[in-house]
Amino acid sequence: MLVHGFMQRALVGGLVVAVVCAVFSFFVNVRRLAFAGEGIAHAAFGGVAIGILAGINTLVAAAVFCVLVAVGIGWLSRKGKIHEDTVIGILFSASMALGVVLVSLAHAYNVDLMSYLFGSILALDWSDVVVLAVVGVLAVAFVALFFKELLFTVFDEETATASGIPVRFAYYGLLIAIALVIVVSIKLIGIILVSALLVVPGAAGMQFARNYRGVMVASLVCAVTAVVVGLVLSYSYDLASGASIVLVLVGLFLLALAFSPRRSYVRRVFHSEN
Amino acid sequence: MSRQCRVAEYFDGSAGERGPLIELDHVNVSMSGYPVLDDITFTLGERTFLGVVGPNGAGKTTLLRVMLGLIAPDNGTVRVMGMGPRELKHELHHIGYMPQTVLFDPTFPVSVFDVVMMGRSCCIGVLRFPGRADRAAVQDGIELVGLKGLEKRPIGELSGGQQKRAFLARALCRETRILFLDEPTSGLDLPAQEQFMDLLTRLKEEMGLSVIFVSHDVQTLARYSDDMICINHTMHLHGRPSDVVGSDRLKEAYRCEFDFLVGGGEHTGGR
């Protein structure tokens, strides 16, 4: 399996995606950005379509477009005093609609849209892996360097502001980093499913640990396992890579739920049998 | 280094003649076009426990936020420790603040220690990591408020009173000179309220703090305050608790609110 270049690239890229998404998954869970992740990811479709129509690199177009949407979500919900989920609902459907219109104008249905939407194990070339690694390192560095500011901001923004914490920088930085992470993960996971990697690992981690350090570790283990197992399944059974990764991920989440020390479902089942 | 200096200069007198700790001069604030605070003027000395009372929607929280520099007044000046809001922005580690409600998710995966450590963020500085001194300060803060032994417990598993004390520790574990507390005892039962107030007065004496305490509970606050002000959009009273309680102007302030509500009540100060 590893003799194939595409599989090597998919595994290396996939591991980067797993680590980066796991780190951000913590913030997505505690700051309730699951829908924001979903919205930004779908907005990438609009960006990809602009790229196709304008004849520029689709990833660059998607990155610019997603960052704009992320900042728009932040700006409209904070300044415009509209609920975050309302803003996301509007921007996300608008971007998708724009994408559909542009794609039909460009008569570009022959472009491999399916691989953008659902990800493809064959899609990565080495330059994609390099871009993925660079963005991943930058995004993780952002979290590592500003962790205490990010944590304070997502826990209690009011007190953080009154303590002189740059909350606006932290909030917009988080949204922009999430947008970039989404864009570079799209080729492998796909627009429709990428947000699962930003939601599920952290959610599984929260079942196991009651402290963010533990949540991060559990989230990392979950994401890496899902990506490796998912890619192997994708290779073996010729499945869409994003879909198989997400199914493994959700399977792990269900296991986490069942074995969560907090809920002790499984223990209770055994107890009732005894 | 100059960061610590302004406050140190204020307290050792090297910044020239020392003005009042807090000084508001003809402050006006409006939000979304409605006046919230109108012509607020008062001064406050060091080591004072100031009770700020007023009916719901009187603008008490807004007043706190103006003093903290989070809201810029339309008119008038605000000086805290001799500094305007722009300078104060760099000295916020000398101020402890407890907002009215901390709306956090009870499953938020942070321990009591982690929460109190947040209070050190502004002492540590951006792009720096907590060191031994920070951990010691956090531990001291936790012990001061009587939460020793609960450091590793998730914050969401504490009782309401313990959570309030954790947030007080967070406000104290920096180089705190002034505490701004916005209804910190709301939601606590009476024994827990008394416990909190006793703890607060003890810490105020031990640490030489000044406390600005916002509440709508005039009677309780009168027992602990050195000084009280009563606001309802505008200043109604400023004086000793004994002068404030039972004063006709206090009733007037609260009646104003009533008139306000029956007379249309277009807005309610608040935040």
Side-chain angles (χ1 to χ4, degrees):
Chain A
M1 180 169 74
L2 286 174
V3 294
H4 297 293
F6 75 86
M7 195 59 190
Q8 293 169 1
R9 293 190 292 271
L11 267 177
V12 174
L15 286 174
V16 176
V17 168
V19 171
V20 178
C21 286
V23 168
F24 280 90
S25 185
F26 166 73
F27 289 103
V28 167
N29 273 276
V30 295
R31 180 59 177 73
R32 309 201 174 165
L33 289 171
F35 191 44
E38 186 84 36
I40 294 170
H42 282 69
F45 186 68
V48 167
I50 291 173
I52 292 172
L53 195 67
I56 51 176
N57 184 313
T58 48
L59 267 196
V60 173
V64 172
F65 195 72
C66 284
V67 166
L68 287 177
V69 167
V71 172
I73 289 170
W75 192 75
L76 280 173
S77 62
R78 290 169 81 93
K79 286 273 172 194
K81 300 201 167 135
I82 309 170
H83 288 299
E84 206 171 62
D85 53 351
T86 307
V87 176
I88 296 163
I90 293 168
L91 289 181
F92 139 49
S93 41
S95 320
M96 279 300 267
L98 181 71
V100 172
V101 168
L102 291 181
V103 165
S104 39
L105 281 181
H107 302 291
Y109 285 112
N110 51 341
V111 179
D112 192 6
L113 282 178
M114 280 298 274
S115 82
Y116 281 112
L117 290 175
F118 298 106
S120 162
I121 196 170
L122 300 167
L124 292 185
D125 53 43
W126 281 114
S127 66
D128 291 323
V129 177
V130 170
V131 171
L132 193 53
V134 170
V135 172
V137 166
L138 288 176
V140 172
F142 168 73
V143 171
L145 290 175
F146 298 103
F147 189 79
K148 66 180 187 306
E149 285 78 14
L150 289 167
L151 189 70
F152 201 170
T153 303
V154 297
F155 180 73
D156 175 6
E157 195 173 318
E158 167 81 359
T159 313
T161 312
S163 300
I165 300 295
V167 292
R168 236 176 302 162
F169 169 79
Y171 177 71
Y172 284 109
L174 195 59
L175 281 178
I176 291 171
I178 287 174
L180 292 175
V181 168
I182 285 173
V183 170
V184 293
S185 311
I186 280 175
K187 277 204 172 176
L188 195 63
I189 317 291
I191 285 170
I192 309 280
L193 294 172
V194 65
S195 68
L197 265 135
L198 284 168
V199 178
V200 186
M206 299 265 280
Q207 301 307 317
F208 272 105
R210 297 186 301 176
N211 191 273
Y212 64 86
R213 300 168 188 86
V215 173
M216 286 269 191
V217 172
S219 174
L220 271 173
V221 170
C222 176
V224 169
T225 312
V227 165
V228 173
V229 175
L231 284 176
V232 170
L233 290 177
S234 166
Y235 174 86
S236 311
Y237 298 100
D238 192 21
L239 307 168
S241 50
S244 42
I245 289 170
V246 170
L247 285 180
V248 176
L249 201 53
V250 173
L252 288 174
F253 171 74
L254 292 176
L255 280 177
L257 203 60
F259 287 95
S260 163
R262 216 188 271 175
R263 300 171 197 272
S264 59
Y265 288 139
V266 172
R267 229 185 317 154
R268 258 184 278 162
V269 170
F270 280 109
H271 264 278
S272 58
E273 280 176 4
N274 287 341
Chain B
M1 280 317 289
S2 65
R3 290 191 64 201
Q4 271 88 5
C5 288
R6 282 303 306 256
V7 171
E9 278 171 11
Y10 173 81
F11 282 99
D12 68 21
S14 57
E17 197 185 331
R18 196 192 309 181
L21 185 74
I22 293 179
E23 188 176 12
L24 270 75
D25 190 25
H26 298 292
V27 167
N28 283 294
V29 176
S30 58
M31 282 161 87
S32 331
Y34 291 106
V36 179
L37 293 175
D38 179 27
D39 198 20
I40 305 282
T41 299
F42 70 92
T43 60
L44 183 72
E46 268 173 64
R47 296 180 181 235
T48 312
F49 191 123
L50 175 74
V52 180
V53 294
N56 288 331
K60 304 187 293 293
T61 298
T62 305
L63 180 64
L64 268 196
R65 291 171 58 90
V66 167
M67 289 191 268
L68 286 164
L70 299 177
I71 297 175
D74 301 343
N75 286 303
T77 54
V78 180
R79 296 188 81 76
V80 176
M81 297 184 283
M83 290 171 287
R86 197 165 296 169
E87 298 160 284
L88 188 68
K89 208 175 272 178
H90 302 289
E91 304 293 343
L92 288 169
H93 52 292
H94 293 289
I95 288 176
Y97 173 47
M98 260 179 85
Q100 198 163 1
T101 41
V102 178
L103 287 174
F104 70 96
D105 177 352
T107 63
F108 201 105
V110 283
S111 67
V112 172
F113 193 91
D114 297 328
V115 169
V116 178
M117 183 59 93
M118 291 176 191
R120 289 292 296 179
S121 307
C122 47
C123 302
I124 300 167
V126 175
L127 293 178
R128 287 169 187 275
F129 296 92
R132 193 175 297 164
D134 300 301
R135 283 191 287 275
V138 169
Q139 191 61 38
D140 284 349
I142 289 173
E143 289 176 18
L144 272 177
V145 300
L147 290 180
K148 194 172 181 219
L150 299 178
E151 294 89 345
K152 291 190 174 155
R153 287 278 287 278
I155 185 75
E157 287 185 10
L158 264 56
S159 72
Q162 288 171 328
Q163 284 179 6
K164 300 273 185 188
R165 280 190 275 154
F167 294 134
L168 181 62
R170 182 174 68 172
L172 286 172
C173 71
R174 45 234 278 179
E175 294 149 41
T176 313
R177 296 281 193 161
I178 313 177
L179 270 182
F180 288 89
L181 309 174
D182 193 357
E183 309 231 6
T185 55
S186 65
L188 299 185
D189 58 21
L190 268 177
Q193 276 188 30
E194 297 222 330
Q195 204 188 6
F196 187 91
M197 294 307 287
D198 292 338
L199 171 70
L200 189 62
T201 31
R202 186 168 57 80
L203 291 175
K204 179 202 162 239
E205 291 309 318
E206 281 173 12
M207 302 172 71
L209 303 171
S210 305
V211 178
I212 289 96
F213 193 116
V214 164
S215 175
H216 56 260
D217 184 354
V218 181
Q219 297 297 337
T220 309
L221 208 45
R223 282 169 47 208
Y224 295 94
S225 301
D226 305 314
D227 233 0
M228 282 179 93
I229 60 173
C230 173
I231 63 164
N232 189 1
H233 302 292
T234 185
M235 289 280 290
H236 279 260
L237 269 171
H238 182 192
R240 301 265 147 202
S242 53
D243 303 331
V244 171
V245 177
S247 149
D248 285 341
R249 301 197 60 191
L250 182 71
K251 290 189 196 122
E252 198 183 294
Y254 277 77
R255 188 157 332 111
C256 273
E257 166 69 8
F258 181 71
D259 291 341
F260 206 78
L261 288 174
V262 289
E266 297 126 306
H267 73 104
T268 52
R271 286 196 185 160

